Amino acid sequence: MADTKQSDEAKDPKAAAKAERQAAKLAQQIGAFAKAHRGAEAQVAYIGERGSRIVLVGEDGGWGDLVAPTHAIAEEAVRKAGVTVHEDFDGEFAAKVRTGPYEWSRMAGIQVGGPANSNT
C-alpha cells in the first residue's frame, strides 16, 4: 500500500511539492546535526507505514534520529544533506556511537542497576 501511495505522489504535483518540502526540511535538520557534531553519517531504515527512520551519528559520537513519512523522502533528505549513508547499522559505523549513563540505564534496566521496570 505504501508503494502505491508513493507512486501516486509522483503523479500528483501537490503531493510531489509537499514531499520536496519535507525532504528539504529534513535535510536542514540533518545539516544542523552535522554542523553541531563536526560532521555526520546516516543510515535509513524502513519502519513500516510510519515511514523511514534516519539514524544520524556525528563525528564526535553523538547520535540522533529523524522519521520521514516515506522511504523516498528519507533518501532524498540524506542526499540533499550530503552525508555518507550506510546500508546497515553495524561495524565501524555502529562503533562510532557514544552513549552516556542515561542510555545505559535505559537499555540495561534492572540487569545492571538501572531503573526498576516495576513500581514495587
Side-chain angles (χ1 to χ4, degrees):
M1 191 162 156
D3 292 335
T4 304
K5 182 179 177 189
Q6 289 177 11
S7 73
D8 289 347
E9 287 173 356
K11 295 175 187 175
D12 179 11
K14 286 184 181 182
K18 182 179 179 182
E20 181 64 30
R21 287 190 305 273
Q22 290 171 322
K25 183 177 179 180
L26 287 166
Q28 286 179 332
Q29 293 171 318
I30 294 166
F33 178 90
K35 184 176 180 181
H37 296 275
R38 299 187 314 267
E41 298 175 45
Q43 191 259 336
V44 178
Y46 178 71
I47 56 173
E49 285 185 29
R50 295 199 55 143
S52 287
R53 180 178 185 214
I54 304 167
V55 178
L56 301 167
V57 179
E59 289 301 315
D60 63 358
W63 61 278
D65 67 346
L66 298 165
V67 175
T70 68
H71 196 73
I73 290 172
E75 288 180 334
E76 180 66 12
V78 295
R79 186 194 65 73
K80 283 179 177 279
V83 296
T84 300
V85 180
H86 296 268
E87 290 292 320
D88 297 307
F89 193 81
D90 61 3
E92 284 184 41
F93 181 51
K96 290 182 178 185
V97 174
R98 298 290 171 248
T99 55
Y102 172 78
E103 288 87 3
W104 280 104
S105 69
R106 298 303 298 166
M107 289 186 285
I110 61 173
Q111 292 85 355
V112 195
N117 291 331
S118 68
N119 293 332
T120 57

